[in-house]
Amino acid sequence: MATLATYFGLGEQTHRSLDDVRMNLEVLKYCATVLFLESSLCITAEEVEPNTAQRNPFDMGQLSNEMEESYELSSTESSEMYSVESSAVAVSDGRSDLAGFLEPNEVLIPSICASFVTFSQRIQLFHEGFILRLCCSHLEVRFGISKNFLDHAGRPRLNFVVNAPESLCKVLDACDRIARKLSSDLVSSSEWWPVVIRKDGFVNNPTVRLHIPYTISGDNPYQTEMYQKDSGGMQKLVFSKYDAAELDSLFTPGTFVDAFFSIDPYDYQQSAGIRLVAKKLIIHS
């Protein structure tokens, strides 16, 4: 275990019972992922757009990012539930722990590729060997959270719509093409829904939909970290319960947000596409 932990960059073995159990689990997850990635399919930008450079999506840096993300999710789901009052906690910087999120103009289109990861049974998008995640500043909210669309538990889906700048559309359109081609090669019969929304009358004003995931346990009902920023500084928002109306009051049309989000392809009930999942949102008052 110590040798494998060193190889995967998990740190040193402490020979304490609980720490060893945790490290054993991490080593097992890394080994399983490596074995399944060996049989993964990969589609690169070169196969969608000729004369571009192909990148290797199977390096250890990318694997480390994916396993860290998996560990964060499992830790959130397994934490003990308790209630807190809705409040705001002062913070110095809402961006400090978000290394690895690229601005659209930092993304090289030929370096984007998609791989079907058998371990998680989903398509994953990469950029230069790392999981592709984006950040965009001053996105203007066009439509707040709608109560017309419900999830399987009957709760409103926590999505809101923002205007998409050209630089973001360029990257997401490329992701769409690459992921859709891989989905087609996997013989999916689902209808593909473009991530960039270009409706009649709004062709020159494209939009994208950002999703706020919720949790079923823990001290916060939402997985997304949310901050409010004004002339006085930045405050972290903490919520005591799942409340779509409370969130909707924050994301009113015309409000600007800085968004840090993952790019998650999905294929569910004959519908496929890319979902933009907000990891952190900074709301400008």
Side-chain angles (χ1 to χ4, degrees), residues 183-200:
S183 177
S184 176
D185 289 349
L186 294 170
V187 197
S188 171
S189 60
S190 300
E191 181 180 1
W192 188 273
W193 296 88
V195 63
V196 178
I197 306 168
R198 295 180 173 90
K199 292 187 176 181
D200 293 341

Side-chain angles (χ1 to χ4, degrees), residues 226-275:
M226 285 178 265
Y227 296 79
Q228 198 153 38
K229 183 178 181 180
D230 55 26
S231 57
M234 188 104 66
Q235 290 183 317
K236 184 175 182 179
L237 301 175
V238 181
F239 304 89
S240 61
K241 62 180 181 178
Y242 180 102
D243 189 339
E246 183 179 16
L247 279 188
D248 190 39
S249 67
L250 295 172
F251 300 100
T252 56
T255 300
F256 288 92
V257 299
D258 301 339
F260 299 77
F261 52 92
S262 62
I263 305 172
D264 298 350
Y266 67 90
D267 192 334
Y268 180 69
Q269 293 186 343
Q270 297 302 303
S271 292
I274 290 175
R275 179 178 291 110

Side-chain angles (χ1 to χ4, degrees), residues 76-136:
T76 300
E77 291 176 342
S78 62
S79 57
E80 183 178 356
M81 177 180 287
Y82 61 93
S83 178
V84 297
E85 294 298 322
S86 180
S87 60
V89 180
V91 294
S92 59
D93 185 359
R95 301 166 181 262
S96 57
D97 61 342
L98 285 165
F101 286 78
L102 300 177
E103 295 183 6
N105 58 12
E106 296 177 314
V107 177
L108 303 174
I109 300 299
S111 299
I112 301 174
C113 74
S115 173
F116 181 75
V117 183
T118 312
F119 181 67
S120 58
Q121 288 294 298
R122 64 188 178 95
I123 293 174
Q124 181 70 65
L125 287 156
F126 300 95
H127 178 263
E128 296 190 334
F130 293 89
I131 293 175
L132 178 58
R133 295 183 287 187
L134 297 176
C135 60
C136 287

